[in-house]
Amino acid sequence: MFQPCIHFILQDSPFFQKYDLDLTTSGFLGDGSFSVCRKCTNKATGQRYAVKIVSRRVYCGTEISILNQCQGHPNIVQLYDTLQDEVS
């Protein structure tokens, strides 16, 4: 499935330590120029989420800041977590 060196990187990834990523066809939610959205599951709680995986080539601090400021608005998706790792 994964190459051995990739397996070790994934093993140390904060995301993959906390979440299981759905790599099946049904787990794919959409994509854009610099990101892909997939389904994932929190390993500890079993709670399912959509995850937006953004290329490290793109600065997304502004998007994160705006989502944090809009928390609680009924028309804005909830931001639960932000993680950065070496997998990109």
Side-chain angles (χ1 to χ4, degrees):
M1 181 173 168
F2 292 112
Q3 296 174 2
C5 62
I6 296 296
H7 175 73
F8 290 116
I9 293 171
L10 296 180
Q11 192 174 24
D12 291 336
S13 162
F15 176 83
F16 287 104
Q17 287 177 1
K18 191 171 184 179
Y19 299 98
D20 284 321
L21 186 63
D22 185 347
L23 295 173
T24 67
T25 304
S26 64
F28 177 79
L29 298 173
D31 62 357
S33 298
F34 298 100
S35 66
V36 63
C37 293
R38 301 195 73 83
K39 295 176 185 177
C40 70
T41 305
N42 184 298
K43 292 179 179 183
T45 66
Q47 180 69 37
R48 298 191 71 199
Y49 297 102
V51 59
K52 182 175 183 178
I53 304 164
V54 181
S55 168
R56 292 182 71 192
R57 295 179 292 156
V58 176
Y59 174 74
C60 54
T62 304
E63 180 177 359
I64 292 168
S65 177
I66 291 169
L67 287 171
N68 279 322
Q69 291 174 6
C70 295
Q71 293 302 294
H73 190 284
N75 296 330
I76 303 293
V77 296
Q78 180 73 33
L79 177 66
Y80 287 98
D81 206 354
T82 58
L83 299 167
Q84 181 176 335
D85 61 27
E86 298 303 314
V87 180
S88 59

